[in-house]
Amino acid sequence: MDTRFLESFVLAVDHGSIAEAARRLDLTAAAVAKRIHALESEIGSVLVMRSGRTIRPTEAGAAILDRARRFLVDARDFQITSQQRRPSGQLRLGAISSALSGLLPDILALMKENYPQIDVNITGGYSGELYRKVLDGDDLDAAVITEPPFAILKSCAWRVLREEPLIVLTRAPARSRKSHVILASEPFIRLDRNVWGGRLVDDYLRKVGIRPRELFEINEVVAIAAMVDRGWGCHSCPIGSHHGQRARRFSNCRWQAVNPLPGASASYGPELRFGSD
């Protein structure tokens, strides 16, 4: 079975269009249609139904779709192994928003320079959902996420890419230079505790015994920074290079590192770990 025929079928179904599949394969629509027809002849079933300019899989097409995707991935792996050359193929990579604007640009530049044969497909999302997609294995090969608040399953590998301190974001000039005083006294705009970064902040506040005057709980850092810029309250989050860049959009914002825990020798408080799962 010609893998090119399977690839044309999968792309056409995924995009609902033979024309789009042709564009991505750098072929004519007629050539892609011919490939799909050849695959149908070989399998002995009609695989797609046409409705105007769009297509969708038939019952037979839907039945083989997932297996066709896995077959294509295995075929790429066979090619890499047999040719014994630099890594190539497709890398399906997930990334949280902070990594997309902080870690990934430099990493992708290095990959492009050293491994030009690897085609990277990036999916954004929250740490929890990206972690589950890696476990499922059908959608993602790896993900750059916040370190989970639980033990990683043995079926996955974990590598720390960067550790970052927590910061307090407040309107300038701050009423105090002591982070704990700010967190305990000013209205607090909280990062959503449903995301792992927000949970880390909540764990830290509980550990040091701070009960903030909670104003809002939001899962978008840019919106939180805008509210801090207007003087509505303070915020705590992992610093991330993206946080500093975003905060600079707002002229009244300033940030400072959270004070270390009593007895800690580090110059910063608890750290957020980004890693590949």
Side-chain angles (χ1 to χ4, degrees), residues 40 54 56 63 94 98-99 115-117 134 158 204 215 233 241:
E40 290 174 329
T54 63
R56 59 185 177 86
S98 56
Y115 304 103
Q117 298 91 345
V134 172
W158 174 265
Y204 177 77
L215 184 63
S241 59

Side-chain angles (χ1 to χ4, degrees), residues 12 66 70 77 94 108 157 270:
D66 286 341
R70 291 195 292 270
D77 290 342
L108 293 176

Side-chain angles (χ1 to χ4, degrees), residues 219-257:
N219 65 1
E220 176 49 57
V221 173
V222 172
I224 293 175
M227 294 179 184
V228 172
D229 184 68
R230 296 186 181 186
W232 290 9
C234 66
H235 167 62
S236 182
C237 60
I239 182 173
S241 59
H242 73 295
H243 290 302
Q245 293 163 2
R246 289 175 177 178
R248 291 189 193 102
R249 300 180 191 176
F250 307 102
S251 58
N252 294 319
C253 282
R254 70 179 298 274
W255 64 265
Q256 61 192 55

Side-chain angles (χ1 to χ4, degrees), residues 85-274:
R85 54 187 176 85
R86 298 172 75 182
S88 64
Q90 185 183 55
L91 172 63
R92 302 168 301 170
L93 181 65
I96 56 177
S97 60
S98 56
L100 286 171
S101 59
L103 285 169
L104 276 191
D106 289 339
I107 292 174
L108 293 176
L110 288 173
M111 286 190 64
K112 190 68 176 176
E113 179 181 349
N114 296 301
Y115 304 103
Q117 298 91 345
I118 296 180
D119 178 25
V120 183
N121 183 277
I122 301 174
T123 299
Y126 296 116
S127 291
E129 63 178 320
L130 295 176
Y131 176 76
R132 288 189 293 272
K133 287 183 178 181
V134 172
L135 290 184
D136 292 341
D138 293 332
D139 298 316
L140 293 178
D141 301 308
V144 182
I145 59 175
T146 305
E147 186 172 14
F150 48 79
I152 299 287
L153 292 181
K154 293 182 178 179
S155 59
C156 293
W158 174 265
R159 297 291 183 272
V160 175
L161 298 182
R162 187 163 73 193
E163 298 182 343
E164 298 176 344
L166 294 179
I167 63 165
V168 171
L169 187 67
T170 185
R171 182 182 171 92
R175 297 179 181 177
S176 171
R177 297 191 61 83
K178 295 182 178 180
S179 302
H180 286 186
V181 172
I182 295 172
L183 289 170
S185 61
E186 295 192 13
F188 186 62
I189 306 172
R190 180 188 291 276
L191 184 62
D192 190 350
R193 282 167 286 191
N194 288 317
V195 299
W196 292 349
R199 198 178 306 176
L200 183 144
V201 172
D202 185 60
D203 289 344
Y204 177 77
L205 293 174
R206 291 174 182 272
K207 191 169 186 176
V208 298
I210 295 176
R211 299 183 63 181
R213 297 165 50 202
E214 190 167 326
L215 184 63
F216 299 118
E217 184 167 354
I218 306 174
N219 65 1
E220 176 49 57
V221 173
V222 172
I224 293 175
M227 294 179 184
V228 172
D229 184 68
R230 296 186 181 186
W232 290 9
C234 66
H235 167 62
S236 182
C237 60
I239 182 173
S241 59
H242 73 295
H243 290 302
Q245 293 163 2
R246 289 175 177 178
R248 291 189 193 102
R249 300 180 191 176
F250 307 102
S251 58
N252 294 319
C253 282
R254 70 179 298 274
W255 64 265
Q256 61 192 55
V258 170
N259 294 341
L261 293 171
S265 59
S267 58
Y268 294 105
E271 296 167 322
L272 175 69
R273 297 186 178 190
F274 292 107

Side-chain angles (χ1 to χ4, degrees), residues 45-93:
S45 298
V46 176
L47 300 178
V48 296
M49 297 177 60
R50 295 167 176 81
S51 178
R53 295 183 178 181
T54 63
I55 67 165
R56 59 185 177 86
T58 62
E59 184 176 349
I64 72 166
L65 187 58
D66 286 341
R67 294 184 66 181
R69 289 196 182 99
R70 291 195 292 270
F71 183 85
L72 289 172
V73 171
D74 288 342
R76 295 188 189 103
D77 290 342
F78 291 151
Q79 183 184 39
I80 294 171
T81 302
S82 63
Q83 293 180 357
Q84 292 295 308
R85 54 187 176 85
R86 298 172 75 182
S88 64
Q90 185 183 55
L91 172 63
R92 302 168 301 170
L93 181 65

